[in-house]
């Protein structure tokens, strides 16, 4: 997907390596930052909506990971995804 957007996938290499290292040491959920850790519902719902439109399979994976992060940080889960009805 990155190449389709004109981006070099190797740009993510440091992030991926650091994430895997934390996961291997059992610290992945403790070091997560971002909208799920902050319980930023507006951002999470916007991400969910965009991903569902672009790639429903990826949206499902994202929802599972988001639920796990929210739960780990003591936040309530997001409601089940409901597509926004199309106008027109």
């Amino acid at each position: 997907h990155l190449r389709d957007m004109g981006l070099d996938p190797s740009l993510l290499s440091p992030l991926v390596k650091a994430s895997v290292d934390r996961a291997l040491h059992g610290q992945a959920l403790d070091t997560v930052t971002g909208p799920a850790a902050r319980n930023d519902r507006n951002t999470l719902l916007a991400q969910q909506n965009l991903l569902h439109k672009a790639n429903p399979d990826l949206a499902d994976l994202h929802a599972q990971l988001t639920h796990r992060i929210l739960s780990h940080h003591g936040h309530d889960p997001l409601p089940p995804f409901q597509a926004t009805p199309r106008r027109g």
Side-chain angles (χ1 to χ4, degrees), residues 6-47:
L7 299 171
D8 180 1
S10 69
L11 294 172
L12 294 178
S13 181
L15 176 65
V16 171
K17 287 178 182 178
S19 296
V20 169
D21 186 50
R22 286 190 299 267
L24 291 174
H25 291 94
Q27 303 167 338
L29 289 172
D30 292 331
T31 59
V32 169
T33 61
R38 293 190 311 270
N39 200 26
D40 180 349
R41 309 301 257 197
N42 290 333
T43 299
L44 291 171
L45 293 171
Q47 288 176 340

Side-chain angles (χ1 to χ4, degrees), residues 56-74:
D57 290 335
L58 188 57
D60 289 343
L61 175 61
H62 180 266
Q64 292 174 23
L65 293 172
T66 297
H67 174 75
R68 182 67 183 103
I69 294 166
L70 287 168
S71 175
H72 179 79
H73 288 279

